[in-house]
Amino acid sequence: MKNERLSEPLSFKRILLTIDADDPNSSINAFRYAVTLAKDYEIELRIVSVLEDDDVNIFDAMTPGKVDRKEDDVNRTVEDYVKVARKAGADNVRGMSVGMGDVDDVILDQVIPKYKPDLIVCGSDTADASHRVPGAVGLRIAKRANVSVIVVR
Amino acid sequence: MKNERLSEPLSFKRILLTIDADDPNSSINAFRYAVTLAKDYEIELRIVSVLEDDDVNIFDAMTPGKVDRKEDDVNRTVEDYVKVARKAGADNVRGMSVGMGDVDDVILDQVIPKYKPDLIVCGSDTADASHRVPGAVGLRIAKRANVSVIVVR
């Protein structure tokens, strides 16, 4: 026990919350925990939701404006969460718009380098989820990113 | 956004911290975060470290008292962490003794049913680790247990 760092408190400064717009129940506790931390420690919270490739079928892709509308829906969902977070007392909270793609790749390649969170908060799929790869996005990200990750159930 | 639960704060009540006695650097930030939470929210913290099968070779197993001594070492390490945690201001902290085995199985089959944590805090292997299955114990547990898990890096 020589390590003096052990006695130093550790808290996070920049939280990234990933929301699954298709499986809102999976995000309830993750949202609540992220907002609680953001409020209690007065830290930044950024909320993101990725429109998954899988959610856009070939017919959507061929219908003019359909993908844009799906992206708008996702952004609106994020903005709704931002409002609830502010109302609950988290002052420094914003949504983040990202492109469509594989959730893991978008978070790892676009969101983390841009926002540089030190904690990623995510939920875990419920029975409602319809993903190709079930489970927690965060677990998969945690394997590949050098950031702390919490899966809230 | 009809869900009224979204506005309710969420914090944990019973933290389980898993320590890798063989790779202490991997546990520094996990320890610091667990102690910070335990202190700030005045909640229970239980610290556990599992003696892995892999750490006991055939010669150890055949030498009388050798496995017992290794278990004693692990328990002493846990008690050292408990002391540091108390000194850092976490009042409700204790170590937990467990048998030897596969870390995931011991945590899932013995520790979680007994202690019933609502958050498991763990670190992530450093280059010092010598495990058969590298990575974060917590990630593997998070796949199988219905408990929130944080991997602190």
Side-chain angles (χ1 to χ4, degrees), chain A residues 136-152:
Chain A
V137 168
L139 292 183
R140 303 197 306 270
I141 293 170
K143 277 194 197 158
R144 296 165 61 194
N146 200 21
V147 179
S148 297
V149 173
I150 183 168
V151 178
V152 185

Side-chain angles (χ1 to χ4, degrees), chain B residues 6 16 20 22 28 45 49 55 58 62 78-80 82 93-94 100-101 103 107 110 120 136 138-139 141-142 144 149:
Chain B
L6 280 177
L16 176 72
D20 186 345
D22 277 346
I28 295 174
L45 169 60
S49 184
D55 296 334
I58 183 73
M62 288 169 68
V78 168
E79 285 313 312
D80 286 343
V82 169
V93 53
R94 284 168 57 191
M100 192 178 71
V103 183
I107 300 281
Q110 295 179 37
I120 298 175
L139 292 182
I141 293 170
R144 296 166 60 194
V149 173

Side-chain angles (χ1 to χ4, degrees), chain B residues 55-127:
Chain B
D55 296 334
V56 178
N57 62 38
I58 183 73
F59 302 106
D60 293 339
M62 288 169 68
T63 309
K66 190 77 185 271
V67 171
D68 289 346
R69 279 204 298 282
K70 286 211 170 198
E71 287 192 342
D72 288 348
D73 285 349
V74 168
N75 288 336
R76 210 167 305 121
T77 301
V78 168
E79 285 313 312
D80 286 343
Y81 279 105
V82 169
K83 276 180 210 153
V84 178
R86 286 198 184 126
K87 227 175 180 174
D91 291 323
N92 197 340
V93 53
R94 284 168 57 191
M96 199 170 172
S97 276
V98 287
M100 192 178 71
D102 174 81
V103 183
D104 306 18
D105 291 340
V106 171
I107 300 281
L108 285 162
D109 301 336
Q110 295 179 37
V111 180
I112 294 177
K114 195 170 164 191
Y115 179 57
K116 299 185 176 59
D118 52 11
L119 176 66
I120 298 175
V121 179
C122 64
S124 185
D125 284 357
T126 69

Side-chain angles (χ1 to χ4, degrees), chain A residues 112-133:
Chain A
I112 294 177
K114 195 169 164 191
Y115 179 56
K116 299 185 176 60
D118 52 11
L119 176 66
I120 298 174
V121 180
C122 64
S124 185
D125 285 357
T126 70
D128 307 335
S130 60
H131 308 297
R132 192 178 33 188
V133 187

Side-chain angles (χ1 to χ4, degrees), chain A residues 1 3 5-12 25 27-29 31-33 36-37 40-41 77 80-81 84 88 119 139 142-143 145-153, chain B residues 1 3 5-12 25 27-29 31-33 36-37 40-41 77 80-81 84 88 119 139 142-143 145-153:
Chain A
M1 273 327 87
N3 198 308
R5 282 178 55 215
L6 280 177
S7 308
E8 293 168 18
L10 184 150
S11 53
F12 298 107
N25 286 328
S27 307
I28 294 174
N29 286 345
F31 175 86
R32 292 173 57 205
Y33 190 63
T36 303
L37 279 188
D40 290 355
Y41 290 96
T77 302
D80 286 342
Y81 279 106
V84 178
L119 176 66
L139 292 183
K143 277 194 197 158
N146 200 21
V147 179
S148 297
V149 173
I150 183 168
V151 178
V152 185
R153 289 204 161 91
Chain B
M1 271 331 84
N3 197 307
R5 282 179 56 216
L6 280 177
S7 308
E8 293 168 18
L10 185 149
S11 54
F12 298 106
N25 285 328
S27 307
I28 295 174
N29 286 344
F31 175 86
R32 293 172 58 204
Y33 190 63
T36 303
L37 280 188
D40 291 355
Y41 291 95
T77 301
D80 286 343
Y81 279 105
V84 178
L119 176 66
L139 292 182
K143 276 192 195 158
N146 201 21
V147 179
S148 297
V149 173
I150 183 167
V151 178
V152 186
R153 289 204 161 93

Side-chain angles (χ1 to χ4, degrees), chain A residues 41-58:
Chain A
Y41 290 96
E42 296 176 3
I43 53 179
E44 275 187 60
L45 169 60
R46 202 61 61 99
I47 301 177
V48 74
S49 183
V50 178
L51 177 61
E52 291 178 274
D53 291 329
D54 297 4
D55 295 333
V56 178
N57 62 37
I58 185 74

